[in-house]
Amino acid sequence: MRLLHLSDIHFRTPDCENPATDVHQPYRTLLAQDVVELCREGGSVDAILVGGDIAFKGSPAEYRVARAWLLELARQCGCPPEGIYVVPGNHDVDRVVCASSMAISNAQDAIAAAHPDARESVMKRQLADADVGQSLFRPLAAYNEFAAGFDCSVYPGSPFWTDEVDLGGGVRLRLFGLTSTLISGLGERDDAPGRLYLGRLQTVLNPEQDVVNLVLCHHPPSWFADRDDTDDNVNERAKLQFFGHEHRQRCTPTPTYMRFQAGAVNPDMNEREWKPGYNLLNVTVRGEGMGRTLDVRAYVRHFQKSPDMFVALRQDRFQEVWTHSMALPHMAPLRAPAAEVKPPVAQFHATQVAEAAHEAAAVAPLEPKSEGKMQGPSMRNLIYRFWDLSIGERREITLKLGLIAEADLQVPEPERYKKAFKEAAARGLLAELATEIERVENTH
């Protein structure tokens, strides 16, 4: 599986709306060309992981340009549009919205000012409150509209997203997109490490057998007041870790995890260490049983001037590609005593069979295109196409199928339609939803 990791693209209006005068455009073009050249040798990209700061000030216009660029990049490197994953950064927070609302200020301050031992429970209470929870996510409204098309929007009932795909070799890759910006935008909490808060709610990261956990987050753990707890949980439970924000290209391999930090795609040109960068890596499962491993080959790339090009940040003086292997043992379950062996499914009562099948369908990963290759689940493809429709068309389809009620129209669109898709899956209406989307697409 091939993953492309980008962060801190910083599309900034009005500059980004006019390609002829956007001084950052040449570096994005050279980045795309470098990725494509690497893909000629190693195959197409299966997923693009975007680690936040997609916009500069959280403006809808910035996200329109960002979406077009990401889709074109995906097309060039052979990645399906539903293979794009995004998380918010502090520049995706609309600070004008923050500054104009006492409700947002009070909600953020309540979490930030809480005693460390009580902060987690305070945050949970804030998220559970219908009005207060929504206020915490109001500064991310434009981001959420953009992210909804990639099924990566976040809201009080789901402050982070997760997805799961087949990695091959009997292993599933479970992706977690964490929201590190719940108390960003006010109180100078974005200015120095140790002032933000992530919380244990987002770092459960259940370390199941035959599952590789991948974390995508804008801020590295050092930026959180709960940095030690976050660092411990992520390091113990996620073998693949991707961060941004600090505009520093770094790769840290350890025996149990591999951490990547992406240099900004568009760092501020006045920065002392101005070096755009990105990461491209191949992830492979090798072997079986107790000797099974997770192998990574990573191209850690940064920009050089004169001549303008992306080059390798070397693992050592002799090796341009970072190679690393982590133990991923499969421990076979102990055999039950003969007297306790359960009868085959065929002997179950019909009702039990139906219940078991229903539960399996709810948790089983969708089949990939081929072993070790990422394929966006059909749900993600439908979501991408659904968000390409107009506001009225989206509303018409979901009302027609009874996936939302009139009262739901008061809920922000990303949250409303995320719940609508879950409802469609639960009621077995995905085929009908696909038919309706195709019907509307054919009228365009």
Side-chain angles (χ1 to χ4, degrees):
M1 180 176 295
R2 174 160 275 199
L3 307 175
L4 172 61
H5 175 218
L6 312 171
S7 191
D8 299 79
I9 313 176
H10 296 150
F11 283 99
R12 184 173 187 169
T13 55
D15 297 351
C16 69
E17 296 178 274
N18 185 355
T21 57
D22 182 0
V23 297
H24 293 289
Q25 188 189 38
Y27 307 106
R28 295 195 299 269
T29 298
L30 289 169
L31 184 152
Q33 291 172 354
D34 195 60
V35 173
V36 170
E37 191 60 32
L38 291 174
C39 287
R40 290 189 199 284
E41 302 173 3
S44 60
V45 169
D46 298 299
I48 300 176
L49 311 176
V50 186
D53 277 6
I54 296 143
F56 186 78
K57 52 192 173 185
S59 141
E62 293 168 342
Y63 290 114
R64 284 195 293 272
V65 178
R67 184 178 187 275
W69 183 76
L70 284 170
L71 289 174
E72 175 58 19
L73 176 64
R75 185 193 67 79
Q76 290 183 42
C77 64
C79 179
E82 61 267 29
I84 299 173
Y85 295 85
V86 299
V87 293
N90 50 292
H91 279 282
D92 296 307
V93 173
D94 190 329
R95 293 168 189 270
V96 174
V97 172
C98 288
S100 63
S101 170
M102 282 301 299
I104 295 172
S105 178
N106 291 340
Q108 289 196 9
D109 287 347
I111 296 171
H115 187 278
D117 294 340
R119 191 173 283 129
E120 183 78 5
S121 62
V122 169
M123 186 181 74
K124 286 182 178 179
R125 289 200 303 272
Q126 299 271 20
L127 292 174
D129 184 277
D131 295 326
V132 178
Q134 289 292 348
S135 70
L136 283 169
F137 287 84
R138 202 173 302 138
L140 289 174
Y143 162 82
N144 268 332
E145 180 79 15
F146 156 81
F150 305 116
D151 197 26
C152 294
S153 57
V154 288
Y155 53 92
S158 183
F160 64 94
W161 55 257
T162 183
D163 192 32
E164 189 172 293
V165 295
D166 185 18
L167 192 55
V171 177
R172 292 168 289 161
L173 180 67
R174 188 170 292 158
L175 302 92
F176 293 88
L178 309 187
T179 302
S180 62
T181 58
L182 287 180
I183 58 173
S184 285
L186 292 170
E188 299 181 343
R189 288 185 283 269
D190 299 313
D191 295 347
R195 300 180 184 178
L196 299 174
Y197 185 68
L198 188 69
R200 295 176 183 174
L201 180 69
Q202 298 196 62
T203 59
V204 174
L205 307 173
N206 189 20
E208 295 181 48
Q209 178 169 265
D210 300 330
V211 171
V212 171
N213 287 335
L214 179 157
V215 161
L216 176 65
C217 185
H218 180 64
H219 293 91
S222 61
W223 285 78
F224 304 123
D226 56 333
R227 55 187 173 274
D228 290 341
D229 198 41
T230 297
D231 211 26
D232 288 345
N233 289 346
V234 171
N235 290 344
E236 289 293 329
R237 304 168 187 172
K239 287 191 176 298
L240 298 174
Q241 308 171 11
F242 298 89
F243 298 100
H245 184 65
E246 293 183 339
H247 301 185
R248 301 173 67 198
Q249 196 75 11
R250 294 289 185 272
C251 179
T252 307
T254 79
T256 56
Y257 66 84
M258 197 168 187
R259 176 176 292 186
F260 294 88
Q261 291 179 246
V265 172
N266 289 332
D268 189 317
M269 290 182 170
N270 295 319
E271 289 182 14
R272 188 166 60 101
E273 294 292 329
W274 178 86
K275 274 189 179 179
Y278 74 93
N279 300 303
L280 180 69
L281 56 151
N282 296 337
V283 181
T284 308
V285 176
R286 295 194 187 279
E288 57 186 22
M290 296 301 291
R292 190 175 62 182
T293 61
L294 183 72
D295 295 352
V296 179
R297 285 177 52 84
Y299 300 84
V300 182
R301 311 285 284 180
H302 62 179
F303 190 76
Q304 72 162 36
K305 293 191 69 68
S306 299
D308 286 1
M309 65 175 68
F310 281 83
V311 297
L313 178 65
R314 292 174 177 267
Q315 185 172 16
D316 56 44
R317 61 182 295 189
F318 303 108
Q319 194 169 359
E320 289 194 352
V321 181
W322 294 64
T323 59
H324 189 53
S325 183
M326 293 168 278
L328 187 65
H330 172 77
M331 294 177 284
L334 296 176
R335 181 172 298 179
E340 298 182 10
V341 174
K342 296 180 179 180
V345 172
Q347 297 178 29
F348 281 12
H349 187 272
T351 302
Q352 292 173 301
V353 173
E355 289 175 352
H358 177 76
E359 291 174 1
V363 300
L366 297 176
E367 290 293 325
K369 288 182 288 188
S370 61
E371 187 175 18
K373 295 285 286 181
M374 172 174 288
Q375 178 187 24
S378 59
M379 173 84 83
R380 287 184 64 82
N381 179 267
L382 286 177
I383 289 171
Y384 168 75
R385 292 162 56 196
F386 178 81
W387 279 93
D388 252 359
L389 306 180
S390 70
I391 294 174
E393 290 166 343
R394 294 196 293 261
R395 179 185 302 179
E396 174 201 348
I397 288 174
T398 48
L399 284 171
K400 178 179 178 180
L401 295 178
L403 301 176
I404 62 171
E406 290 290 341
D408 295 324
L409 298 178
Q410 307 305 314
V411 178
E413 270 204 311
E415 181 177 353
R416 178 198 317 162
Y417 292 129
K418 198 162 191 173
K419 290 179 178 177
F421 269 84
K422 288 182 179 178
E423 179 73 10
R427 292 167 50 189
L429 294 177
L430 285 178
E432 289 81 353
L433 184 56
T435 299
E436 287 298 317
I437 292 172
E438 185 174 1
R439 176 184 64 79
V440 175
E441 288 172 337
N442 289 338
T443 64
H444 291 170

